[in-house]
Amino acid sequence: MEKRVTFGKWTIGILFAVPQLLLIFTFFYWPAGQAVYWSLTLQQPWGGGNIWVGLDNFRSILSNADYWNSITASLVFAGISTGLAMFIALVLAALTDRQLAGSRLYRVVLIWPYGIAAPALAMAFRFILAPEAGFMAVVNQVWPGFWDPGLDGADAMASIIVAFSWKYVGYNFIFFLAAFQAIPRSLIEAAAMDGSGVIRRFWDIQFPLITPTIFFLLVINITESFQDSFGIVDIMTAGGPANATNLMVYKIYSDGFKGLDYSGAAAQSIILMLLIIVLTIFQFRFIERRVHYR
């Protein structure tokens, strides 16, 4: 019979929960409440009070073409970086699960990139992908002007996508490998004895059984692509060239801390939060139905 730990007084349980509740209130609910309030007022950049303006900040933002460009860039970045990071991680996890030569080393090494801070990662990729040095400089010598993220918006977007994807390949790899190893070996061996090839076994047996992990990582990667991309953009492109990589999270920073438009930045943060919520609901509503839970 399962034993369950109980407290003699309900107050003890409350005392254990209070520190966590304080952390949630201090670092989530209080800042979120402040952002909502600031988005409905006109904050003075140097202090001195505020003026209630209602939804004027939202109307001003949504009528700005630059902001819609930022939304488009963010959606493109989220879609491509999520797909790239998950696909590479899935392939690496599948190869590692087959116990190929050196798989134990790969299992350890592939986890490391996720532990690197985004600014440090961005600084490394800024040099790696620089058009005047490194690998891309060699490419430019063969095809002059082929790669220049400082002038070409598509190249700049590609560079931050590569950097972000490289960071999250390690994170996705951990979960994919765990999902593969949770599949009973008897299923794989039985399919192999029936004559199924590696690709057929993967598509018909392994892939359906890891769809819960795929769905989980899809939600996490899309969410993080909107939130955890700031450090990479700030170091590598600073939102340029010509706002080609001015993602929503970076625009909040640039408008709020550089442009001193605190109210507008607060309104943008609310829109970003609502967009993430809508995308998450969409995934649970329309994508989860295809998930095969064992």
Side-chain angles (χ1 to χ4, degrees):
M1 183 177 179
E2 183 182 358
K3 294 183 179 180
R4 306 181 67 178
V5 178
T6 59
F7 297 108
K9 295 181 179 180
W10 65 270
T11 53
I12 298 178
I14 295 296
L15 290 175
F16 278 108
V18 164
Q20 185 67 27
L21 293 175
L22 287 175
L23 288 174
I24 294 175
F25 176 80
T26 303
F27 294 103
F28 180 76
Y29 289 111
W30 175 253
Q34 285 290 98
V36 171
Y37 176 73
W38 281 29
S39 68
L40 300 174
T41 61
L42 183 61
Q43 298 288 331
Q44 302 299 322
W46 307 109
N50 53 67
I51 303 172
W52 181 266
V53 295
L55 298 177
D56 286 353
N57 290 320
F58 293 94
R59 295 190 187 98
S60 176
I61 291 170
L62 296 177
S63 62
N64 189 335
D66 288 339
Y67 188 69
W68 286 103
N69 176 70
S70 178
I71 293 177
T72 302
S74 298
L75 292 174
V76 170
F77 173 82
I80 298 178
S81 62
T82 295
L84 184 62
M86 291 184 63
F87 175 76
I88 295 175
L90 180 63
V91 172
L92 293 175
L95 294 176
T96 304
D97 183 58
R98 293 193 64 206
Q99 301 295 326
L100 300 178
S103 60
R104 291 186 178 180
L105 176 63
Y106 303 149
R107 192 176 306 174
V108 176
V109 173
L110 289 173
I111 298 173
W112 291 351
Y114 184 67
I116 301 176
L121 169 72
M123 185 61 70
F125 270 91
R126 183 174 180 177
F127 286 103
I128 293 172
L129 300 178
E132 66 277 358
F135 171 74
M136 297 311 298
V138 177
V139 175
N140 277 340
Q141 289 179 357
V142 179
W143 295 288
F146 175 80
W147 176 262
D148 193 350
L151 296 176
D152 192 306
D155 292 348
M157 177 62 74
S159 67
I160 62 174
I161 287 175
V162 168
F164 183 88
S165 301
W166 187 84
K167 175 178 173 62
Y168 274 85
V169 163
Y171 179 85
N172 297 331
F173 171 80
I174 298 171
F175 287 94
F176 277 136
L177 183 60
F180 279 124
Q181 294 181 341
I183 299 175
R185 289 296 169 185
S186 57
L187 295 177
I188 308 299
E189 293 170 357
M193 293 178 64
D194 287 340
S196 297
V198 174
I199 298 178
R200 184 65 181 272
R201 293 198 301 270
F202 171 81
W203 190 252
D204 290 346
I205 298 176
Q206 292 176 300
F207 187 82
L209 293 177
I210 66 171
T211 48
T213 302
I214 294 175
F215 176 69
F216 165 76
L217 290 176
L218 180 65
V219 174
I220 295 298
N221 277 251
I222 289 180
T223 302
E224 291 301 312
S225 66
F226 281 96
Q227 298 179 346
D228 196 30
S229 53
F230 169 78
I232 293 175
V233 174
D234 187 44
I235 297 296
M236 295 186 67
T237 65
N243 293 328
T245 59
N246 195 17
L247 306 185
M248 295 175 72
V249 67
Y250 189 78
K251 187 168 174 48
I252 292 172
Y253 160 77
S254 60
D255 287 0
F257 291 93
K258 293 183 178 180
L260 300 180
D261 182 10
Y262 299 135
S263 299
Q268 291 181 47
S269 68
I270 299 301
I271 295 175
L272 176 59
M273 180 178 66
L274 293 176
L275 177 60
I276 294 174
I277 292 173
V278 169
L279 289 175
T280 303
I281 293 174
F282 175 83
Q283 292 172 86
F284 275 93
R285 179 68 178 82
F286 296 101
I287 299 178
E288 191 185 21
R289 64 177 61 179
R290 298 179 179 272
V291 174
H292 175 75
Y293 291 101
R294 287 183 280 173

